[in-house]
Structures are given as structure tokens and as C-alpha cells.
Amino acid sequence: MPYKAKNSLVIIYFVPKLESSYELEIDGIFYLGPLRQPPERDYLWARSTPSDVGVRGERAVDALLAATAHNETRTLNKGDPPLPIQQIVAHWLREMGLVADFRVEELAPGSHRWQARLQVHKNGPEVLLTDVGFGISQVLPVITLLYYVPEGSTVILEQPELHLHPLAQSVLADVIISAAQNRDLQVLVESHSEHLLLRLQRRVAEEVIPADDVKLYFCEAPEGVSKLRPLELDEYGQIANWPDKFMGDAFGETFAAEEARLKRMQAGETA
């Protein structure tokens, strides 16, 4: 009987601890879906402080304004001076080649109406988020979420590259790497972007991020059931078991196009 009572005491103590730890882990997970909200000409902000940017990114501007109101700052790299989150977002949008400047300001004092304003080109006119390419509004929640959530969080992103041109998709990999390393984030990305993957491989080769910190999986359904196949990424950024026709087989397309050119040139010479 004493032995059973001792075990019962352990169970009574352990279950609440497990429940508390589980809730803590769940509270540290933040998700952003692939279908993000279109931009608006102005945003109503009632001084709320959202926990994240919303599943569709609908609270991204609220999050930026709340962080600004609370004087929250972040660093791009360890050892760098801290900057307001709005400046961090503007930095990455510039790196992507999307804007020259970005800020969120109140329409009129006390109006509670705010506008996301930007310059596409340096010294160019200031325009609203609704007046530029759709990709800026779609990547804004991605960058904001990565720098808004608490350090040590887990961030899940579905197709964060949607509506971005190739250069911006490549730089997006740098945004994710930088946030993960400097903010101790675990970032899970579901993507179809070859440009994002190639930049990630490059950064591993350049020793910006260790290969051990990156896990790649290829989702396939050969028999109608989805399976995840681990991809073997080495310290030089090379994938040893590259799947057949992975990412549309870009190298195969290049080879086939060059082969066709050579055949046509040879046929022209003999004609």
C-alpha cells in the first residue's frame, strides 16, 4: 500500500506539470497561412496589442503599431544597435528590392485611422500600400510576425513567398535565417520556391548557418498517401538525395534548352 500511495503522489504532481508545460509550448506557436488579407487604404487601430498578426495577416499593422507604442526594439544581428520593428521591416523590404522606405502613420491626430505609406523609389512620391504591387502587402505579415513574436517561439509559415519576384523570394530566406538565429526562433516553412531553397543552400555553403540547424523534407504521395522524405543536406549546402524533377527540374530545363539550341545551330550550318 505505501508503494502505491507513493506512485499516486507522483502522478498527481506530474499531470499538472505536464499540462502547464504543454500549454506553454502551445502558446509559443504562431501560424501564418498562405491566403493573406489584401491591403487596405487605412486601418482602424483601437490601441489593442495582438498576440500575433492573425492567420491571414489581418493584424500585421496592429502589431506594428502596438510594438511602436510600447517602444519595442529588435536587432538585425547580435551586437547591432536595437531598432524599432517598423525600421526592421523597412530594412528587409528594401533588401528585397520592393521599397525605398516604409512607415505606418496616423491619418490625423486622434483619428485612430492609420495608413501604411511607402516609397517605391528613392526620392519618389509617397504612396499607400494599396497603390503598389500585391507582393509587398503579402510579405509584410511574414516579416512582422518573425520580429513581433517573443524570442524562443515557433513560427509556422505556409508559402511565405507568394506574389514575390525571384530576388525577393531569395532575400526572404535571409529574413528567416536572421530571425531564427538572432531571436532563437524555430521556423517551419512550407514552400514551393526554388529561389528560397537555393539561397538557403548558399548560406549553408557560406557558413552563415550550419547544416545541422536546417532540416529539409520533400512531401510526396506515390501511392496516394502523403509522405515526408528527409533530404540529406551536407555542410556545403548540397542535397545528396535530390528528388527527381524536384522544383520543376530547373537544371534539366536549362540543359534541354541548350541542347535544342545546339541542334538548331548545327542544322543551320549544314543547310
Side-chain angles (χ1 to χ4, degrees):
M1 290 296 293
Y3 180 75
K4 288 183 179 179
K6 184 178 179 182
N7 278 352
S8 298
L9 180 62
V10 171
I11 293 172
I12 292 170
Y13 172 75
F14 176 72
V15 170
K17 289 282 288 183
L18 176 62
E19 182 180 359
S20 175
S21 298
Y22 176 77
E23 289 179 355
L24 191 63
E25 287 297 320
I26 293 298
D27 287 343
I29 298 175
F30 301 90
Y31 167 76
L32 180 62
L35 301 175
R36 296 183 278 280
Q37 183 168 293
E40 299 178 20
R41 295 196 69 80
D42 57 77
Y43 297 84
L44 176 65
W45 181 53
R47 300 282 169 181
S48 61
T49 302
S51 60
D52 57 17
V53 301
V55 172
R56 299 182 68 239
E58 67 274 12
R59 295 194 294 268
V61 170
D62 285 14
L64 286 174
L65 292 172
T68 301
H70 298 151
N71 296 316
E72 292 187 35
T73 58
R74 303 286 187 264
T75 56
L76 282 167
N77 300 291
K78 287 183 171 128
D80 286 355
L83 298 170
I85 294 182
Q86 283 197 45
Q87 289 188 30
I88 297 284
V89 171
H91 165 82
W92 284 120
L93 290 176
R94 282 193 295 270
E95 290 294 303
M96 290 179 174
L98 298 174
V99 306
D101 196 19
F102 170 86
R103 61 193 173 88
V104 181
E105 68 172 9
E106 196 169 11
L107 200 55
S111 68
H112 304 300
R113 289 278 177 183
W114 299 74
Q115 293 182 324
R117 295 182 166 274
L118 52 91
Q119 286 178 299
V120 177
H121 305 290
K122 190 175 181 180
N123 300 323
E126 192 175 65
V127 296
L128 298 181
L129 192 58
T130 51
D131 300 329
V132 295
F134 197 59
I136 300 175
S137 67
Q138 299 304 287
V139 78
L140 178 63
V142 177
I143 304 172
T144 302
L145 182 63
L146 289 168
Y147 284 92
Y148 183 73
V149 299
E151 289 194 7
S153 299
T154 295
V155 176
I156 303 173
L157 303 171
E158 275 199 81
Q159 299 183 50
E161 76 281 357
L162 286 183
H163 302 287
L164 294 178
H165 59 66
L167 171 62
Q169 291 182 38
S170 296
V171 175
L172 183 58
D174 287 332
V175 179
I176 295 169
I177 291 170
S178 180
Q181 289 184 321
N182 296 306
R183 307 202 64 237
D184 191 29
L185 301 181
Q186 176 176 243
V187 186
L188 281 66
V189 180
E190 185 271 323
S191 175
H192 298 277
S193 174
E194 177 186 4
H195 307 287
L196 192 153
L197 176 61
L198 290 175
R199 178 61 61 90
L200 179 61
Q201 290 179 266
R202 172 184 166 185
R203 294 309 186 210
V204 171
E206 294 172 341
E207 300 182 280
V208 173
I209 182 171
D212 289 344
D213 287 353
V214 180
K215 300 299 178 187
L216 298 176
Y217 297 89
F218 177 66
C219 184
E220 55 188 346
E223 299 174 356
V225 178
S226 295
K227 295 181 180 179
L228 291 179
R229 185 204 307 183
L231 300 182
E232 300 167 12
L233 183 71
D234 66 20
E235 62 182 309
Y236 303 106
Q238 301 176 110
I239 297 175
N241 57 335
W242 190 277
D244 183 40
K245 297 183 180 179
F246 185 39
M247 292 296 181
D249 190 21
F251 297 112
E253 289 291 324
T254 302
F255 175 79
E258 189 60 32
E259 186 178 39
R261 292 188 194 99
L262 288 172
K263 285 182 179 179
R264 289 184 61 187
M265 291 170 65
Q266 290 170 354
E269 290 173 357
T270 57

